[in-house]
Amino acid sequence: MQDPAITPDLIEAHGLTPDEYSEILRILNRAPSFTELGIFSAMWNEHCSYKSSRKWLRTLPTSGPQVICGPGENAGVVDIGDGQAVVFKMESHNHPSYIEPYQGAATGVGGILRDVFTMGARPIAAMNALSFGEPAHPKTRQLVHGVVEGVGGYGNCFGVPTLGGEVRFHPAYNGNCLVNAFAAGLAEADKIFYSAASGVGMPVVYLGAKTGRDGVGGATMASAEFDDTIEEKRPTVQVGDPFTEKRLMEACLELMATGAVISIQDMGAAGLTCSAVEMGDKGGLGIALDLDQVPQREADMTAYEMMLSESQERMLMVLRPEKEAEARAVFDKWGLDFAIIGETIAEDRFVINHGGRCMADLPLARLAGSAPEYDRPWVEPPAPAPLADVPQIDPIDGLKGLIGSPNYAAKQWVYEQYDSQVMADTVRPPGLGAGVVRVHGTDKLLAFTSDVTPRYVKANPLEGGKQAVAEAFRNLCALGATPLATTDNLNFGNPQKPEIMGQFVMAIKGIGQAVAALDMPIVSGNVSLYNETDGQAILPTPTIGAVGLIAQADDLIAGTVRDGHVALVVGDTAGHLGQSALLAEIFNREDGDAPPVDLQAERRNGAFIRDSRAWIDVCTDLSDGGLALAAFELAEAAGVGVTLDTDDTAQLFGEDQARYLIGCSFDKAEALMVAAGKAGVPLHAVGRFGGDTVTMGGAAAPLAELSALYRTAFEEVFG
């Protein structure tokens, strides 16, 4: 087949600017072949090279005594004691999920699971953070059904519990949904597998499923805005097979135990190209590949297609040659392809042979290390206008408006499609705050959460970035967990627009300040830019996934409220209504500033919760919907009523930060008051649990009536 001529249109179709193409000519001192153009396009696109974000990502705190491996590998690794480590990461599959919801979401789950077991860890937990357009939009229902089914279909078949996440709706996502997938696994701390190749003449081995044409150009597609040609991009979406991935995991973990693996890399974005180049570059070696040896499921595939295919369930490995027979036997046993497709070489070259011809011969280090890095112009977003008056409302009407909205109604329709109990170590399933699993065979527990409030980030990216980390911190502390570390999934619009780049820069600054103050370094993550359709950007959505450790199972705070329990609020309540859920859902307003985040107060109050766990029966953080929504959710989960001592709108629905709601007996409340006084922590009694009504000041409604609304509102829209 004749390769197409390299024209300006072809260069543009590969996501390369004229200046970037000129740099390729300078590096090669010649014009690239079509395959070489595709390889450069894959390595230099936004999705793989982070060319607009690298400058700012370097400013994030990424180290700490608990960190074994920070950003740069497939996933982050954090010490949890006793020679064990938790391996975790979050990444996006936004563009594919909008084009083909089921497969886009499913392969997002598959990709993040591979990132974890590539490091030598067995996955033990998954989460997802999903953002969709307004419920009435004609595409939203299809997207919700397809994405939820895709997440459940892949995760359930693979056999990993889905423990939590988020589902939100906003018109800004009408043309570009977000699917952020998180996975965590357990490994022995001294048996982590990395991707850097070593040794000259070592076999490069292809593992797993066969290569097809699905996903060709997927990473480049994910580095561009959408427009009215969106349906033409459907072939760039990968197709997943969770049963093959399950076999691949078992084969890889078995192979790792033999000592055969020098290095290993998942074939994710940009497939064979990115995995081979990264392994060679990290090891300071070249790679030579013979594509005739690549297992293929389609006839007459070109070198270009094989190098850029994003077919799923594939790995690339550098193998100890003396272990070849043993390694091949493992993969034969699991019914998976095992093919030696090349070798490491001493020269700084990336050589691709196919059909007896050299299809590419590139300087590997320049290919990996010379990707452009942009210092994009940015402008700090203007300060929000002061909040106009918010009228007092009947608090029950306000509560009904929240719990009857798809944003704040119970989401059991979503999470009941996910298996949260597989592996039999789930301690706290989805539904209230962070999820918890046992560290199998020990008394330790791990807690997982993902958080962000995009309307805060839009109004004030610095405070919104801080708040995303702070809320994740609170969700872990509320269970008695010590926060360990974070992963970030930074979803933004077009970085070539200074106002969008300003959102990104300020959010990064806020995230950096918060993870430093709260000892939660960023150990892994993903950046997803160009989330725009016809020039309309999503809300800036820097999702924070966080992991916490509970050293003894008895230290978990996970009871339920009971009749006679006192309701206590930790932290100061000023009644901040700017950018609140009440404003958005009841008044259809998104105005005012985001709530300010006092990181020292967050740290102090979180430590108080953890130190006082013996006196706390149940605890939740206060965030969206303020005290009113949090108190209702605790009461509803236990099937008891609640009485709050005020009907003031700002006191009930304000979203001041660094706050927790505690339920406990009267005697424990007295002990907490004494402890809070000694620690200098604000603590106030705000009401009590009991009865069968929800009462706020002079307004009341039967709990059963409110519970029915809360439990059915989401399904009535999407079920």
Side-chain angles (χ1 to χ4, degrees):
M1 184 185 297
Q2 185 70 32
D3 283 345
I6 308 293
T7 64
D9 286 347
L10 189 69
I11 293 163
E12 183 181 3
H14 280 74
L16 294 164
T17 67
D19 285 345
E20 289 168 353
Y21 184 69
S22 294
E23 179 63 12
I24 292 169
L25 295 179
R26 196 184 67 75
I27 289 171
L28 298 181
N29 202 26
R30 60 175 172 80
S33 69
F34 179 55
T35 300
E36 290 173 332
L37 181 74
I39 289 170
F40 269 106
S41 163
M43 291 304 300
W44 285 15
N45 66 52
E46 195 76 61
H47 196 72
C48 294
S49 74
Y50 296 115
K51 58 190 175 188
S52 297
S53 57
R54 283 207 303 272
K55 170 187 165 117
W56 299 103
L57 296 177
R58 289 192 199 100
T59 67
L60 289 170
T62 59
S63 60
Q66 72 275 41
V67 177
I68 294 172
C69 175
E73 279 291 339
N74 288 287
V77 186
V78 174
D79 195 333
I80 60 169
D82 308 309
Q84 293 179 302
V86 60
V87 179
F88 63 98
K89 186 184 180 185
M90 182 173 248
E91 67 179 20
S92 60
H93 232 222
N94 304 335
H95 288 64
S97 298
Y98 190 77
I99 298 168
E100 178 53 71
Y102 184 95
Q103 291 296 349
T107 53
V109 173
I112 199 66
L113 289 167
R114 282 197 307 282
D115 281 340
V116 166
F117 69 75
T118 301
M119 303 288 292
R122 180 174 290 276
I124 58 164
M127 295 189 297
N128 51 83
L130 312 176
S131 302
F132 299 103
E134 56 195 327
H137 188 272
K139 198 167 170 70
T140 299
R141 182 183 169 86
Q142 174 215 348
L143 288 171
V144 170
H145 276 261
V147 165
V148 170
E149 289 166 13
V151 168
Y154 205 102
N156 296 352
C157 294
F158 180 86
V160 63
T162 299
L163 297 179
E166 303 175 280
V167 184
R168 71 175 55 84
F169 300 89
H170 190 280
Y173 304 104
N174 280 348
N176 202 129
C177 66
L178 302 183
V179 175
N180 293 175
F182 170 99
L186 277 177
E188 293 181 49
D190 60 351
K191 293 193 172 94
I192 305 298
F193 286 81
Y194 298 100
S195 57
S198 65
V200 174
M202 298 293 119
V204 174
V205 184
Y206 174 113
L207 307 169
K210 289 178 167 55
T211 294
R213 291 186 170 92
D214 52 321
V216 172
T220 301
M221 175 271 293
S223 304
E225 291 183 35
F226 283 151
D227 54 27
D228 56 9
T229 65
I230 185 170
E231 287 302 319
E232 297 169 17
K233 297 180 169 71
R234 193 173 298 273
T236 64
V237 178
Q238 311 89 332
V239 177
D241 177 354
F243 298 109
T244 297
E245 177 129 329
K246 174 70 170 173
R247 288 184 289 132
L248 179 62
M249 178 191 73
E250 297 295 352
C252 285
L253 294 179
E254 185 175 332
L255 184 63
M256 288 165 173
T258 69
V261 179
I262 295 175
S263 63
I264 189 164
Q265 175 75 34
D266 141 57
M267 282 195 230
L272 191 51
T273 290
C274 199
S275 54
V277 171
E278 286 187 2
M279 288 174 80
D281 182 55
K282 287 176 183 173
L285 294 167
I287 301 274
L289 299 180
D290 178 3
L291 299 188
D292 295 339
Q293 307 308 315
V294 170
Q296 299 161 55
R297 68 166 182 261
E298 297 187 45
D300 302 320
M301 288 190 71
T302 65
Y304 177 96
E305 290 170 330
M306 278 188 270
M307 292 307 296
L308 270 64
S309 167
E310 293 182 8
S311 294
Q312 297 292 286
E313 294 88 40
R314 302 180 302 158
M315 294 279 192
L316 199 64
M317 174 182 70
V318 177
L319 174 74
R320 298 192 190 283
E322 68 275 14
K323 296 274 192 178
E324 179 189 335
E326 189 176 358
R328 189 182 294 276
V330 169
F331 275 76
D332 286 347
K333 182 181 89 171
W334 287 100
L336 295 164
D337 278 299
F338 176 102
I340 295 175
I341 64 167
E343 65 175 358
T344 58
I345 57 177
E347 300 83 15
D348 174 27
R349 294 168 65 201
F350 188 41
V351 182
I352 310 298
N353 293 304
H354 182 229
R357 294 171 54 207
C358 179
M359 306 303 291
D361 189 346
L362 302 169
L364 189 144
R366 299 299 303 277
L367 180 61
S370 294
E373 179 175 331
Y374 294 118
D375 186 1
R376 302 271 191 205
W378 61 279
V379 293
E380 189 166 339
L387 180 66
D389 286 343
V390 179
Q392 291 287 316
I393 62 163
D394 180 285
I396 295 297
D397 288 345
L399 180 62
K400 285 180 176 178
L402 291 181
I403 63 177
S405 148
N407 274 312
Y408 301 107
K411 304 294 194 304
Q412 75 273 5
W413 181 87
V414 174
Y415 61 72
E416 285 177 359
Q417 296 186 53
Y418 307 150
D419 189 339
S420 63
Q421 300 296 329
V422 66
M423 301 179 78
D425 279 318
T426 300
V427 174
R428 194 169 194 251
L432 271 179
V436 182
V437 294
R438 249 178 242 98
V439 178
H440 195 76
T442 77
D443 201 33
K444 293 181 293 196
L445 306 175
L446 285 169
F448 304 99
T449 186
S450 77
D451 300 282
V452 67
T453 308
R455 63 180 182 277
Y456 292 173
V457 189
K458 175 79 181 294
N460 187 330
L462 181 74
E463 293 302 317
K466 285 158 62 174
Q467 191 274 340
V469 176
E471 187 175 342
F473 174 83
R474 290 197 303 271
N475 272 324
L476 297 175
C477 292
L479 293 173
T482 300
L484 292 178
T486 50
T487 180
D488 58 6
N489 202 150
L490 307 174
N491 308 272
F492 289 81
N494 185 341
Q496 296 175 53
K497 297 177 179 177
E499 65 275 17
I500 299 291
M501 197 65 206
Q503 291 175 349
F504 182 86
V505 170
M506 297 307 291
I508 285 271
K509 289 184 176 185
I511 291 167
Q513 290 175 24
V515 298
L518 301 175
D519 289 337
M520 298 169 71
I522 298 274
V523 297
S524 59
N526 171 249
V527 178
S528 176
L529 301 176
Y530 296 97
N531 289 289
E532 298 200 5
T533 297
D534 295 327
Q536 296 299 305
I538 59 161
L539 291 181
T541 311
T543 309
I544 299 293
V547 177
L549 176 67
I550 301 170
Q552 300 285 328
D554 290 346
D555 291 338
L556 174 66
I557 304 169
T560 55
V561 294
R562 296 196 305 273
D563 253 317
H565 270 179
V566 180
L568 302 163
V569 168
V570 173
D572 287 317
T573 300
H576 184 99
L577 286 171
Q579 298 299 330
S580 64
L582 182 83
L583 270 191
E585 299 291 346
I586 309 304
F587 296 104
N588 197 27
R589 287 169 53 184
E590 293 183 14
D591 53 333
D593 202 350
V597 179
D598 180 339
L599 292 168
Q600 294 318 117
E602 293 282 4
R603 186 182 176 103
R604 178 197 67 205
N605 296 357
F608 174 75
I609 296 292
R610 297 195 306 273
D611 293 342
S612 307
R613 52 170 73 96
W615 300 309
I616 299 173
D617 291 310
V618 62
C619 181
T620 185
D621 88 303
L622 295 191
S623 51
D624 280 33
L627 172 62
L629 185 57
F632 167 77
E633 287 177 342
L634 286 187
E636 199 275 341
V640 302
V642 61
T643 298
L644 298 176
D645 297 332
T646 181
D647 58 7
D648 179 76
T649 299
Q651 293 291 303
L652 287 169
F653 295 99
E655 296 180 4
D656 307 275
Q657 300 296 295
R659 296 188 303 155
Y660 299 82
L661 176 62
I662 291 172
C664 63
S665 67
F666 183 80
D667 289 347
K668 289 178 178 177
E670 285 190 321
L672 280 168
M673 289 286 189
V674 172
K678 289 179 179 175
V681 170
L683 180 67
H684 306 282
V686 295
R688 62 217 148 272
F689 293 95
D692 57 6
T693 62
V694 174
T695 304
M696 301 184 214
L703 175 67
E705 174 192 326
L706 296 174
S707 181
L709 173 63
Y710 178 62
R711 291 279 161 188
T712 59
F714 191 94
E715 192 164 350
E716 282 187 4
V717 177
F718 294 108

